[in-house]
């Protein structure tokens, strides 16, 4: 009898558990999947948002709303006024920021709501939009699908194929906070009614826009950041006279599988000398000219070395020119050369821009591919 | 004569009660507290804090060993006479009550900001009081069982944290000891709050079945806590940069926010719901220590009437005492301060006094 009583009580208690809150139907919910923000002419925020429509009667599968506000949180309130159904921001996947806004201001304060309100998602990807944001939000999606998932897939797949970085809101927060690093963010633009990831946008220490990298430079950026969890594919032009070919076919493509980096820094006469020795293991994937691999593979390695060195140096020079340090060299100096780091702490970008940086890659061809 | 024959705890329970009391509210903000003064060397301070807390635990056990079968109350009366002993005991009770209340209000606060922003204080208070009362009512044996239960049910939590080991940057920890010894030493202070809980050995010792194992038990308990603390701290340090971590109030929860499972969002809600049990397991032992003390002081066997009174007080206070985030912080800090005295300074003094006391007694006898 007593046993039955306790079982009965337990069941009653279990029934009550489901009773907290009422059922929520997905048709009545609005999830913001992608959100965009930019300045208008008067430096007010223009906020766009894209949310899927679950209603059966509706013809469109997602809805774009736009509003102007002074802060992101205020914008949410105004968007709520336009959307039917209760509203959730926790599903955010992409946060788009107009370049116009980035050029004028530091966006971190505007994004504060994401870090303060625990209901918001901080794993959303941050993307810089080159050109008007409106174009992105209203691109023709008839052959692609919902705007939100399309952007997410685009960013993730391009990151996987190593032609841009992937920066979540949390990563951006970290890059802004860390004195040894400046932010690098995925850049996107609209080309002929298609969304295109055009490379990487680099920001200054104060959070304003500095410069952009194209896809090739972005790959090299990942290489210098030592972000080599996935192979980095590169295509390099080689000097045609070296292998007696024409200029049109003097290209070689390979993917970098493994990189070993030796990092050394010295502080002499008020400026840094940074030596980066990279041991790069590559797999050849494309070679458009004929070559006797047995005899000339050493020569090919050297040619790739030179070209890789040149391109890395150019990228670093570009960063130095704009006073940015997206590579994370500062992290190394801080970790391994703390005494000298102390001398330039708080002013690392300037120190890096005056530093001499030598990149010396050592290329080893691991695989030639399956054809001779 | 053994006073607590029907109310004994095994070594396992003794370990788990202390361990679960230590791993509570402190862990949620620990990485930030360490980073603020110690930078990325904070984890070394943790090791030092562990050594200090083990030493003090041993001191406590030594004090209790000298007077087996005596509770802290009897011990204080023996050492200092009836009235001074009582006065000291009241202080200890107040400390325990304060600790329990700090954790209680912090728990309500955390649940409010992370999960239920619209829920009012008193509803949460009622909901929390019910299980706490049920566990504390039955005394130390049930608390021991509850500790075992909480331990079993929270085994998956540290493993879950390993999911956050993505996009880490280990050189953040380098160079070790970058700012020299002083910041590391001064950060040991911040670890005190986390390691608080071992001072409950004062109360638990008389209940322990096999008293010889007390030393071993308390070392295991402290070390278990250290493992959890180190894990949380190091994962937070390599995942967030040392500069960023200072920006989060509860870095441990932010760590959970970063874990993305394909079928689940806002993992921290589920985590916190289970973590509630861990927080209760911090509240319950302190509460029991206080209530037991108060009933001993009144000369009563039954601790339940006082427990009921205290539950009512908590419930009533939830109507007009609505602490803000700053106040919660302040309360945590004062608990740390009080803990420094009650868990670190007083045991030392008590031990020294005890040495002298027993020495004097011996000479008298001769």
């Amino acid at each position: 009898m007593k046993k039955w009583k306790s079982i009965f009580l337990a069941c009653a208690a279990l029934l009550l558990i489901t009773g907290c809150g009422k059922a929520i139907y997905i048709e009545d919910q609005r999830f913001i999947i992608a959100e965009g923000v930019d300045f208008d002419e008067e430096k007010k925020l223009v906020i766009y948002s894209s949310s899927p429509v679950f209603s059966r009667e509706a013809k469109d599968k997602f809805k774009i709303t736009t509003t102007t506000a002074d802060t992101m949180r205020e914008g949410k309130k105004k968007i709520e006024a336009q959307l039917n159904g209760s509203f959730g921001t926790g599903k955010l996947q992409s946060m788009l920021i107009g370049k116009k806004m980035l050029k004028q201001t530091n966006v971190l304060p505007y994004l504060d709501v994401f870090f303060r309100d625990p209901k918001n998602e901080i794993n959303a990807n941050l993307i810089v939009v080159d050109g008007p944001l409106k174009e992105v939000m209203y691109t023709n999606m008839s052959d692609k699908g919902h705007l939100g998932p399309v952007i997410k897939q685009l960013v993730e797949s391009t990151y996987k194929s190593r032609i841009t970085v992937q920066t979540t809101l949390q990563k951006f927060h970290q890059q802004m906070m860390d004195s040894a690093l400046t932010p690098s963010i995925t850049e996107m633009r609209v080309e002929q009614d298609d969304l295109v990831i055009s490379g990487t946008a680099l920001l200054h220490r104060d959070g304003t826009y500095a410069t952009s990298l194209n896809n090739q430079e972005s790959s090299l950026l990942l290489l210098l950041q030592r972000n080599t969890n996935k192979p980095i594919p590169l295509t390099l032009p080689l000097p045609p006279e070296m292998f007696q070919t024409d200029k049109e076919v003097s290209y070689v493509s390979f993917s970098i599988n493994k990189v070993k980096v030796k990092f050394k820094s010295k502080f002499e006469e008020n400026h840094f000398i940074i030596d980066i020795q990279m041991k790069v293991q590559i797999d050849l994937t494309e070679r458009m000219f004929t070559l006797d691999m047995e005899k000339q593979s050493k020569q090919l390695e050297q040619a790739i070395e030179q070209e890789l060195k040149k391109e890395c140096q150019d990228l670093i020079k570009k960063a130095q020119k704009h006073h940015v340090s997206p590579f994370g060299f500062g992290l190394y100096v801080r970790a391994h050369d703390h005494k000298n780091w102390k001398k330039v702490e708080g002013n690392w970008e300037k120190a890096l821009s005056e530093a001499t940086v030598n990149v010396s890659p050592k290329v080893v061809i691991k695989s030639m591919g399956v054809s001779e | 004569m053994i006073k607590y024959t029907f109310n004994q705890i095994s070594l396992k329970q003794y370990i788990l009660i202390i361990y679960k009391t230590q791993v509570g509210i402190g862990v949620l903000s620990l990485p930030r507290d360490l980073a603020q003064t110690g930078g990325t060397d904070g984890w070394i301070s943790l090791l030092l804090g562990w050594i200090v807390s083990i030493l003090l635990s041993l001191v406590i056990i030594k004090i209790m060993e000298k007077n087996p079968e005596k509770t802290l109350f009897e011990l204080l009366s023996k050492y200092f006479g009836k009235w001074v002993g009582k006065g000291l005991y009241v202080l200890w009770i107040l400390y325990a009550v304060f600790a329990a209340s700090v954790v209680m209000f912090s728990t309500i606060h955390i649940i409010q900001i992370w999960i239920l922003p619209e829920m009012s204080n008193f509803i949460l208070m009622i909901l929390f009081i019910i299980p706490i009362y049920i566990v504390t009512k039955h005394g130390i044996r049930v608390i021991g069982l509850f500790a075992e239960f909480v331990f079993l049910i929270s085994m998956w939590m540290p493993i879950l944290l390993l999911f956050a080991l993505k996009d880490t940057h280990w050189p953040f920890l380098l160079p070790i000891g970058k700012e020299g010894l002083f910041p590391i030493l001064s950060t040991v202070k911040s670890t005190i709050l986390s390691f608080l809980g071992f001072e409950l050995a004062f109360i638990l010792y008389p209940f322990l079945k096999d008293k010889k194992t007390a030393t071993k038990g308390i070392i295991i308990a402290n070390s278990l806590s250290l493992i959890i603390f180190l894990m949380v701290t190091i994962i937070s340090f390599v995942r967030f940069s040392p500069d960023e971590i200072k920006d989060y109030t509860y870095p441990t929860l932010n760590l959970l926010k970063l874990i993305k499972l394909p079928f689940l969002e806002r993992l921290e809600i589920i985590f916190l719901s289970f973590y509630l049990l861990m927080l209760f397991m911090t509240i319950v032992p302190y509460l029991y220590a206080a209530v037991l003390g108060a009933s001993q002081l009144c000369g009563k066997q039954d601790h339940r009437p006082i427990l009921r009174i205290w539950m009512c007080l908590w419930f009533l206070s939830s109507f007009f005492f609505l602490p803000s985030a700053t106040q919660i912080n302040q309360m945590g800090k004062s608990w740390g301060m009080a803990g420094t005295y009650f868990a670190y300074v007083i045991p030392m003094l008590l031990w020294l006094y005890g040495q002298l006391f027993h020495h004097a007694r011996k000479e008298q006898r001769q």
Side-chain angles (χ1 to χ4, degrees), chain A residues 120-139:
Chain A
N120 282 318
E121 176 72 349
I122 54 173
N123 286 316
N125 292 322
L126 196 64
I127 299 149
V128 174
V129 173
D130 187 12
L133 196 55
K134 199 174 173 184
E135 258 182 40
V136 174
M137 297 311 271
Y138 290 101
T139 20

Side-chain angles (χ1 to χ4, degrees), chain A residues 125-230:
Chain A
N125 292 322
L126 196 64
I127 299 149
V128 174
V129 173
D130 187 12
L133 196 55
K134 199 174 173 184
E135 258 182 40
V136 174
M137 297 311 271
Y138 290 101
T139 20
N140 180 15
M141 281 287 151
S142 55
D143 55 348
K144 293 179 204 84
H146 298 185
L147 177 71
V150 166
I151 294 179
K152 182 180 190 234
Q153 283 159 14
L154 194 58
V155 171
E156 278 173 6
S157 64
T158 45
Y159 174 67
K160 256 185 204 149
S161 54
R162 312 262 102 178
I163 49 175
T164 185
V165 293
Q166 188 182 8
T167 308
T168 59
L169 282 168
Q170 186 269 326
K171 267 254 128 49
F172 175 66
H173 188 244
Q174 180 181 334
Q175 289 169 349
M176 285 296 291
M177 291 288 171
D178 201 320
S179 51
L181 199 66
T182 58
S184 43
I185 310 173
T186 319
E187 192 173 301
M188 187 165 75
R189 72 162 78 102
V190 178
E191 273 172 19
Q192 292 151 2
D193 227 16
D194 259 335
L195 298 175
V196 175
I197 299 290
S198 57
T200 305
L202 303 181
L203 308 191
H204 288 299
R205 166 86 286 140
D206 63 0
T208 52
Y209 175 80
T211 183
S212 292
L213 304 180
N214 61 27
N215 292 344
Q216 172 93 348
E217 286 169 324
S218 305
S219 306
L220 292 167
L221 173 68
L222 289 172
L223 175 68
L224 288 171
Q225 285 178 337
R226 278 221 306 164
N227 190 337
T228 48
N229 311 331
K230 295 224 163 55

Side-chain angles (χ1 to χ4, degrees), chain B residues 129 306-319:
Chain B
I129 274 181
I306 293 175
L307 179 66
R308 279 177 207 137
I309 295 170
W310 188 252
M311 292 287 114
C312 289
L313 278 177
W314 256 358
F315 176 60
L316 289 176
S317 70
S318 65
F319 282 102

Side-chain angles (χ1 to χ4, degrees), chain A residues 22-31 54 85-86:
Chain A
K22 38 190 187 309
I24 293 173
Y25 295 102
I26 199 164
E27 291 88 340
D28 304 337
Q29 280 286 308
R30 284 306 197 130
F31 303 116
F54 296 112
S86 62

Side-chain angles (χ1 to χ4, degrees), chain A residues 90-91 118-120 122-123 170-171 173-174 177-179 331 334-336 338 342, chain B residues 113 167 169 171-172 175 178-179 239-241 243-244 247-248 257-258 260 265-266:
Chain A
K91 310 273 178 202
K119 283 202 287 294
N120 282 318
I122 54 173
N123 286 316
Q170 186 269 326
K171 267 254 128 49
H173 188 244
Q174 180 181 334
M177 291 288 171
D178 201 320
S179 51
L331 301 175
R334 185 167 65 191
H336 300 292
H338 199 70
K342 274 296 197 198
Chain B
I113 56 170
D167 283 328
H169 189 76
F172 278 144
K178 63 186 82 154
E179 307 290 339
R239 183 70 206 253
F240 302 123
S241 93
D243 298 314
E244 186 190 16
D247 222 47
Y248 296 129
K257 246 185 105 114
L258 296 178
K260 267 197 293 191
E265 272 169 46
R266 291 208 66 198

Side-chain angles (χ1 to χ4, degrees), chain B residues 49-61:
Chain B
W50 170 67
I51 293 170
V52 173
S53 66
I54 281 197
L55 288 179
L56 265 300
S57 311
L58 295 182
V59 166
I60 292 175
I61 300 292

